[in-house]
């Protein structure tokens, strides 16, 4: 195995680790995540309605 392949595997492993940590954090802070998602949906909804109306 060459250095590029090893680096690639390390990068993928780090990304997977970060994704797992992010999911665990999201589960721990479900209320915060739900609030942020709700606000984003409301803002997007308002923007779409303005464009249509």
């Amino acid at each position: 195995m060459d250095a590029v392949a090893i680096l690639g595997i390390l990068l993928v492993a780090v990304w997977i680790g970060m994704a797992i940590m992010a999911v665990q954090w999201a589960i721990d802070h479900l209320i915060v995540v739900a609030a942020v998602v709700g606000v984003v949906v409301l803002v997007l909804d308002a923007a779409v309605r303005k464009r249509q109306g």
Side-chain angles (χ1 to χ4, degrees), residues 28-47:
D28 288 341
H29 301 80
L30 210 61
I31 295 165
V32 176
V33 173
V36 170
V37 170
V39 168
V40 169
V41 168
L42 283 172
V43 169
L44 286 174
D45 186 50

Side-chain angles (χ1 to χ4, degrees), residues 12-26:
V12 169
V14 169
W15 273 109
I16 291 170
M18 284 173 68
I20 291 167
M21 280 176 63
V23 168
Q24 287 178 339
W25 183 93

